[in-house]
Amino acid sequence: MTNENLYLEKINKSNEALQTVLEFLDYDFPFMSRPPFHIMKSWIKKDKIQGVFLTNGTERYGYVLYKELSEYNVLHVSYLAILLKFQSSGFGGKLIALLQEISPGSSIFLEVEDPDSTKKVEDRSLRLRRISSMKDMDSLFSRM
C-alpha cells in the first residue's frame, strides 16, 4: 500500500466524525488513559483540541488529537494512533510529517506512558510498542 496520496482531514463536529474518533480512542486508549467521552466530545466541539484523520479520501488510516500552542510554537499531541491493520507500514511517519505542515516551524510535543508505571503485562507491552514506534521515527524528527 502506498501512502503518497494521503492527507489530513479535519475532524469536524458532525456526530459521525465524533463517533468515529471516539470509537478509535476507545480501542487505542483504554478509559483510564483518557478523559470520558462526553468531555472529549465537548473539547472538540468547543475547539479546545483539534483533530485530524489520516486518509486517502476513501479510507482512514489513523488520527491525531492535538492542541496548537502558538504562543510557544508547539503542537501538543494528546492522542495519536494508526489503526492496527496499518501499523508498521510508514503511516505514522507520514502522519507526523503532515502534522508538521499544519504549523510550519512549530515543534511537535508527544508523550508516551511510562511502561514501568503499570503492573498489567498487556499495558506494559503496549507502552513499550508505542515507545519503539516513536524511536523508529527518529530519522523523521531529525529532518524537521
Side-chain angles (χ1 to χ4, degrees):
M1 163 100 26
T2 180
N3 61 16
E4 295 166 3
N5 298 319
L6 298 176
Y7 62 93
L8 298 179
E9 171 192 3
K10 183 172 173 45
I11 296 173
N12 61 41
K13 297 167 188 170
S14 74
N15 285 334
E16 182 273 332
L18 289 172
Q19 188 59 39
T20 298
V21 78
L22 294 178
E23 287 172 8
F24 288 166
L25 281 164
D26 192 37
Y27 178 80
D28 296 315
F29 299 95
F31 178 72
M32 293 309 293
S33 65
R34 62 162 173 74
F37 285 146
H38 70 280
I39 292 173
M40 302 223 28
K41 204 175 197 178
S42 171
W43 288 348
I44 293 170
K45 284 187 172 190
K46 293 177 181 176
D47 289 323
K48 291 184 184 258
I49 59 173
Q50 292 78 44
V52 291
F53 292 114
L54 178 66
T55 184
N56 63 2
T58 305
E59 185 143 28
R60 291 175 174 154
Y61 299 95
Y63 62 95
V64 61
L65 296 176
Y66 65 94
K67 175 89 175 148
E68 189 168 359
L69 304 171
S70 54
E71 64 272 20
Y72 300 108
N73 218 21
V74 167
L75 290 179
H76 178 253
V77 172
S78 300
Y79 300 95
L80 180 150
I82 299 299
L83 279 62
L84 186 60
K85 65 183 176 178
F86 300 115
Q87 290 178 5
S88 300
S89 300
F91 289 103
K94 183 66 174 179
L95 178 57
I96 294 290
L98 290 170
L99 187 61
Q100 186 69 46
E101 292 176 13
I102 289 175
S103 185
S106 290
S107 299
I108 295 177
F109 182 74
L110 301 162
E111 295 179 76
V112 186
E113 305 98 338
D114 180 2
D116 295 329
S117 68
T118 183
K119 293 182 174 132
K120 294 182 180 177
V121 174
E122 61 275 4
D123 285 349
R124 180 174 167 68
S125 175
L126 176 63
R127 292 172 183 194
L128 287 170
R129 192 177 86 226
R130 287 177 179 161
I131 290 169
S132 175
S133 295
M134 292 298 141
K135 286 180 180 176
D136 290 345
M137 287 192 250
D138 276 350
S139 63
L140 171 71
F141 288 117
S142 67
R143 292 191 305 259
M144 293 182 172

